[in-house]
Amino acid sequence: MNINWYPGHMKKTKESIKKNLQLVDIIYELLDARIPISSENPDIDSIVGDKPRIVILNKSDLSSHEGNMKWQQYYQNKGISSVLVDSLNNRGLNEVINISNELMKEKKLKLEKKGIKNKPIRAMIVGIPNVGKSTLINSLSGRKGAKTGNRPGITKGNQWIKLKGNLELLDTPGILWPKFEDESVGLNLAFTGAIKDELLDIESLAFKLVERLVETYPQFLEDRYNINVHEKTTYEIVENIAQNRGCIGKGQEIDFTKVSNIIIDDFRKGRIGRITLELP
């Protein structure tokens, strides 16, 4: 599958992040806990430099417990603070605020010595499209300020938002990879919905996902769809899922578009199981 997508507004966003860096004390880097490598922008390290950073592993309720632990250990070894977050159910949000205050402790003391008290901590949130940025912002701020949607590219321009715990947040539009050197990165982003579905062939995507899950989580597939994947081709497995889910059209033909949409949707909503597609 050829996946290559880098709209012009992504370039503008990158320039905007660089420009606004001097306005903030701390960076929130939002990643998808199922694909922390693929959802991390490779330019972020060079853009952010030595600015304090918290890696927020969102959708951690959809990724495996074991995967979550390994990723937290990985960031700890790199000296980067990380938090497991499920922004839909408000899990991990207080920890984000607590770590922010901890990281800014020294700066706050220096300001207090100069007589400046209660100055808000200013943070900037960066992340690829559709990793749950708007939902996270709404949960942190306790309001319905940021537009949300299960489609990439809802956030359009920069906006300051007041958060709990004397924090102010500069939101930025989602920034995607400039290009995908590695096909598996493009696929991971497609599986999780970071790339608009209209740009993809949903049937090929579902086949690739089933292929990956047979290698990594075969039991989940068997349990979810009441099938046996042992010694079967991907085509046969998808065919079995279609039969069990009633995706049969006229003349007993398999409706591959329908079954593909079911598989992708089941994966994205965690119905197949808690799945981590990348480990450190």
Side-chain angles (χ1 to χ4, degrees):
M1 274 181 87
N2 185 25
I3 302 170
N4 204 343
W5 186 56
Y6 191 53
H9 75 263
M10 297 292 179
K11 186 173 181 291
K12 276 191 215 147
T13 300
K14 195 172 146 182
E15 285 160 5
S16 163
I17 290 171
K18 282 181 178 171
K19 194 176 77 187
N20 290 314
L21 211 53
Q22 65 212 38
L23 303 175
V24 300
D25 307 301
I26 198 164
I27 301 295
Y28 293 162
E29 183 185 9
L30 191 59
L31 303 181
D32 187 320
R34 296 165 295 179
I35 52 163
I37 300 166
S38 296
S39 59
E40 179 182 54
N41 191 290
D43 300 330
I44 287 294
D45 282 342
S46 59
I47 296 170
V48 169
D50 55 6
K51 185 79 71 174
R53 180 182 357 173
I54 300 174
V55 168
I56 298 173
L57 293 160
N58 197 25
K59 306 194 180 185
S60 60
D61 55 314
L62 299 174
S63 52
S64 72
H65 175 72
E66 182 197 13
N68 290 344
M69 295 303 103
K70 284 184 176 175
W71 278 110
Q72 283 217 289
Q73 188 60 55
Y74 168 81
Y75 288 111
Q76 192 180 322
N77 294 345
K78 281 183 81 175
I80 297 171
S81 302
S82 70
V83 184
L84 293 169
V85 164
D86 164 12
S87 54
L88 271 177
N89 297 301
N90 291 346
R91 290 194 194 110
L93 302 181
N94 287 338
E95 207 181 331
V96 173
I97 292 166
N98 293 342
I99 293 173
S100 302
N101 281 301
E102 193 57 43
L103 288 173
M104 290 297 109
K105 213 177 193 173
E106 220 172 289
K107 186 172 181 176
K108 275 185 160 182
L109 285 171
K110 282 178 185 171
L111 288 171
E112 279 170 15
K113 279 176 187 170
K114 292 177 184 173
I116 303 164
K117 288 183 180 178
N118 294 325
K119 189 175 187 286
I121 295 170
R122 289 195 136 185
M124 174 161 63
I125 192 163
V126 294
I128 63 163
N130 208 33
V131 77
K133 202 143 56 75
S134 300
T135 308
L136 177 75
I137 292 165
N138 288 344
S139 302
L140 279 168
S141 61
R143 68 185 183 92
K144 295 282 177 277
K147 289 178 189 164
T148 64
N150 198 24
R151 290 160 61 83
I154 295 258
T155 317
K156 287 287 184 268
N158 290 348
Q159 46 181 335
W160 284 102
I161 296 155
K162 277 194 179 299
L163 304 186
K164 301 162 189 170
N166 201 23
L167 265 83
E168 286 182 0
L169 186 68
L170 178 65
D171 182 23
T172 59
I175 179 168
L176 204 65
W177 287 62
K179 58 178 186 283
F180 311 124
E181 301 288 355
D182 181 348
E183 190 199 41
S184 69
V185 167
L187 282 171
N188 287 337
L189 292 168
F191 293 150
T192 54
I195 298 168
K196 289 178 182 173
D197 285 339
E198 297 93 286
L199 298 170
L200 306 166
D201 167 8
I202 205 78
E203 291 175 26
S204 300
L205 192 63
F207 271 71
K208 290 275 187 191
L209 178 59
V210 168
E211 218 170 86
R212 184 84 68 86
L213 296 180
V214 168
E215 285 170 24
T216 51
Y217 294 90
Q219 195 60 52
F220 283 8
L221 276 177
E222 294 192 334
D223 293 347
R224 173 69 187 163
Y225 300 111
N226 194 24
I227 55 168
N228 176 14
V229 301
H230 189 59
E231 289 184 355
K232 284 183 180 170
T233 64
T234 307
Y235 183 89
E236 287 168 335
I237 293 165
V238 174
E239 202 172 33
N240 288 169
I241 295 171
Q243 286 158 346
N244 283 9
R245 283 289 185 269
C247 301
I248 311 291
K250 285 177 187 169
Q252 294 303 296
E253 288 281 313
I254 299 284
D255 186 339
F256 281 107
T257 304
K258 189 177 176 184
V259 71
S260 297
N261 278 305
I262 286 172
I263 293 165
I264 296 292
D265 196 52
D266 280 352
F267 166 73
R268 288 179 184 167
K269 291 187 174 148
R271 296 188 199 112
I272 295 172
R274 291 183 61 173
I275 289 165
T276 299
L277 292 174
E278 292 175 325
L279 291 169

